């Protein structure tokens, strides 16, 4: 049996979100429950996009700085997919360009996290002595985040080919 929120619990959760939630979650709540505008949610999501096209600013709360990461960018693409953002939207195009720039063709993966800057250790599950050790702890990044990235690129209608055990994103 699936548990459901009671109407009073749902109202309390929505009130809490309205009072304490980030503007993005507030906009998403409006889209999902109040016939809110997807455009307003896309606009709220734009606050997390950096000049390099990737997303940061703690969109995915495990990241503790503002820098773009593949994981934050895949979270953004998840939101774009749910909102029905077209693949030619500037935010999506810039995110795809960022992901292409982060792709590690030698390993055939997108890294879970780019090299960490001093002072940005992040949560304990990102602690590692080297990038290789971090990637190894995430199974070589073949599933997280690479499979997710490939899936979102496919959902956006961006063709992906596999060459010599490497996924190569190609915009059509």
């Amino acid at each position: 049996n699936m548990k459901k929120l009671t109407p009073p619990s749902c109202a309390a959760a929505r009130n809490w979100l309205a009072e304490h939630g980030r503007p993005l979650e507030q906009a998403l709540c409006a889209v999902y429950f109040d016939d809110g505008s997807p455009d307003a949610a896309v606009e709220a999501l734009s606050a997390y996009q950096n000049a390099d096209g990737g997303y940061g600013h703690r969109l995915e709360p495990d990241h503790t700085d503002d820098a773009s990461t593949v994981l934050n960018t895949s979270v953004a693409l998840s939101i774009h997919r749910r909102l029905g953002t077209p693949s030619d939207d500037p935010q999506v195009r810039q995110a795809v360009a960022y992901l292409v720039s982060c792709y590690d063709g030698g390993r055939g993966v997108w890294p879970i996290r780019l090299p960490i800057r001093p002072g940005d250790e992040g949560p304990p599950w990102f602690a590692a002595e080297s990038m290789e050790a971090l990637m190894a702890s995430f199974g070589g990044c073949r599933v997280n985040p690479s499979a997710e990235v490939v899936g979102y690129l496919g959902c956006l209608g961006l063709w992906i080919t596999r060459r010599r055990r490497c996924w190569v994103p190609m915009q059509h």
Side-chain angles (χ1 to χ4, degrees):
N1 291 339
M2 183 196 304
K3 293 187 177 190
K4 296 181 182 180
L5 284 177
T6 63
S9 294
C10 186
R14 291 181 65 174
N15 288 338
W16 187 93
L17 184 61
E19 196 171 317
H20 302 288
R22 300 183 296 183
L24 174 60
E25 282 79 18
Q26 292 171 352
L28 290 171
C29 183
V31 169
Y32 299 141
F33 300 109
D34 299 326
D35 293 325
S37 166
D39 292 340
V42 170
E43 179 61 30
L45 183 57
S46 73
Y48 296 90
Q49 193 166 35
N50 289 315
D52 63 7
Y55 288 79
H57 304 277
R58 298 165 194 85
L59 177 60
E60 205 288 331
D62 287 347
H63 294 269
T64 57
D65 74 352
D66 295 340
S68 296
T69 67
V70 172
L71 198 53
N72 277 315
T73 304
S74 71
V75 168
L77 289 179
S78 168
I79 294 168
H80 281 300
R81 185 189 65 78
R82 288 182 303 206
L83 293 172
T85 309
S87 63
D88 62 352
D89 180 270
Q91 276 192 59
V92 173
R93 295 301 247 187
Q94 291 168 17
V96 169
Y98 170 78
L99 290 172
V100 168
S101 77
C102 294
Y103 182 72
D104 183 337
R107 291 184 177 105
V109 298
W110 280 270
I112 188 80
R113 190 176 167 120
L114 296 178
I116 300 167
R117 295 188 304 268
D120 177 34
E121 284 70 40
W125 46 92
F126 284 145
E129 293 180 18
S130 68
M131 214 33 211
E132 289 74 26
L134 177 63
M135 289 180 69
S137 71
F138 281 89
C141 298
R142 294 204 185 314
V143 174
N144 186 8
S146 296
E148 183 177 17
V149 170
V150 168
Y152 289 132
L153 292 175
C155 285
L156 290 166
L158 303 171
W159 303 107
I160 314 286
T161 62
R162 187 169 167 106
R163 295 187 192 148
R164 287 190 254 157
R165 299 178 25 179
C166 300
W167 290 105
V168 181
M170 300 177 359
Q171 297 179 12
H172 66 304

